[in-house]
Amino acid sequence: MSELASTKRYHAAWHRWARFVAQRVLLRPVVHLTTKVSVLGAENLDDLDAPFIVVANHSSHLDAPLLVTELPRRYTRTLAVNAAADYFYRWWWMKAATSLFFNTYPVSRTNADMGKGRGLANRLLSEDVPVVVFPEGTRRNTESGVKRFKPGAAALSIAQGVPCVPVAIIGTSDAMPVGHFWPKPGRPPVTVVIGAPIHPEAGERTRDLTERLEAKVAAMVATGDPDAEGKPLRDAASPEHPAEQASDHAQKEEAS
């Protein structure tokens, strides 16, 4: 059995201060110099206590910088962002950079990386560290809408009894499309829309919470309104949602 990854870094004072310099002194000015940032719905976080799960759509490498620089500092000081093990943990220097700027934890997307960071998201939440999950699993190449959510975030929320904060990130696919590593000239507009926390209901299935989260984020992406509500989508051709078909262990592994 492989040894569990340590969580010491996520609590270390030295790393927290290093992240402050990286995120607020270095990264935030760059984000604001290269894009025109708007944040809507920040008041929805006023009464929120850690731990929690930020659930956001994902269309650009600009998404994570926006989250760690635009969400309130009292949350981002410990916030851990999920990152694809096959991409961001491929080389030591990339792992070090993303760990410093985004306080990342690895998520396995391929068989070769299976087991990296196993159970880490669950452990971080149990240690009062809020986490970011991009439940689409990858960046989109289209202008609007969201891909079907994978069940990891909902499974974590139910297992740990913590709320999910739905966040819609709008404009990043235009500002810095897939394949680009710097925003386009002219300070393109980007918007972070923060919805009210969504708590798992008593006895709620992973499938149903996944669909609630997906509908909320999709509605905010479509309207730019933190209060927008959407109707959960069900695939009529396949009444059993993938989240329902997966075992509890597999669902928790998805976001761990």
Side-chain angles (χ1 to χ4, degrees):
M1 182 179 296
S2 59
E3 184 179 351
L4 292 177
S6 172
T7 61
K8 289 182 179 179
R9 169 173 64 81
Y10 300 93
H11 303 283
W14 69 267
H15 201 274
R16 185 165 58 247
W17 282 108
R19 289 198 309 273
F20 171 78
V21 173
Q23 293 177 356
R24 298 290 165 151
V25 178
L26 299 178
L27 186 58
R28 195 170 195 269
V30 171
V31 169
H32 281 258
L33 284 171
T34 56
T35 64
K36 184 179 295 184
V37 181
S38 299
V39 178
L40 305 174
E43 65 277 3
N44 285 319
L45 301 178
D46 286 348
D47 298 321
L48 184 64
D49 294 321
F52 54 86
I53 304 165
V54 173
V55 176
N57 61 306
H58 192 27
S59 58
S60 169
H61 279 320
L62 190 55
D63 297 335
L66 280 172
L67 291 176
V68 300
T69 60
E70 303 309 317
L71 294 179
R73 171 62 186 164
R74 65 183 180 275
Y75 300 125
T76 60
R77 63 191 295 272
T78 56
L79 186 69
V81 181
N82 73 349
D86 59 300
Y87 186 91
F88 291 102
Y89 282 70
R90 187 182 305 174
W91 298 287
W92 70 266
W93 56 268
M94 184 177 286
K95 174 183 175 181
T98 56
S99 296
L100 173 61
F101 279 87
F102 307 111
N103 201 28
T104 53
Y105 64 95
V107 174
S108 301
R109 297 192 304 182
T110 66
N111 290 334
D113 295 300
M114 194 59 64
K116 286 187 178 179
R118 175 182 294 179
L120 192 52
N122 270 296
R123 291 167 58 209
L124 290 173
L125 288 169
S126 69
E127 296 171 9
D128 291 335
V129 176
V131 302
V132 172
V133 175
F134 296 112
E136 292 169 300
T138 186
R139 293 170 292 158
R140 279 186 66 85
N141 293 312
T142 58
E143 295 295 329
S144 61
V146 299
K147 293 176 70 174
R148 297 306 304 264
F149 278 15
K150 296 184 178 182
L156 280 172
S157 177
I158 292 170
Q160 293 291 331
V162 300
C164 292
V165 177
V167 175
I169 304 174
I170 302 171
T172 55
S173 58
D174 273 339
M176 198 167 86
V178 173
H180 290 240
F181 295 92
W182 195 259
K184 292 179 178 179
R187 294 187 68 215
V190 294
T191 305
V192 178
V193 185
I194 305 168
I198 294 176
H199 295 259
E201 298 175 352
E204 187 168 23
R205 296 178 300 177
T206 301
R207 165 189 176 178
D208 297 325
L209 181 54
T210 298
E211 291 187 339
R212 283 208 291 145
L213 293 169
E214 179 185 299
K216 177 63 176 179
V217 173
M220 294 194 301
V221 168
T223 64
D225 181 0
D227 298 322
E229 297 291 343
K231 184 178 180 180
L233 300 175
R234 295 183 186 272
D235 187 351
S238 178
E240 290 296 321
H241 191 282
E244 189 73 6
Q245 296 173 355
S247 68
D248 288 342
H249 174 78
Q251 292 165 2
K252 294 172 185 177
E253 180 72 17
E254 181 70 44
S256 66

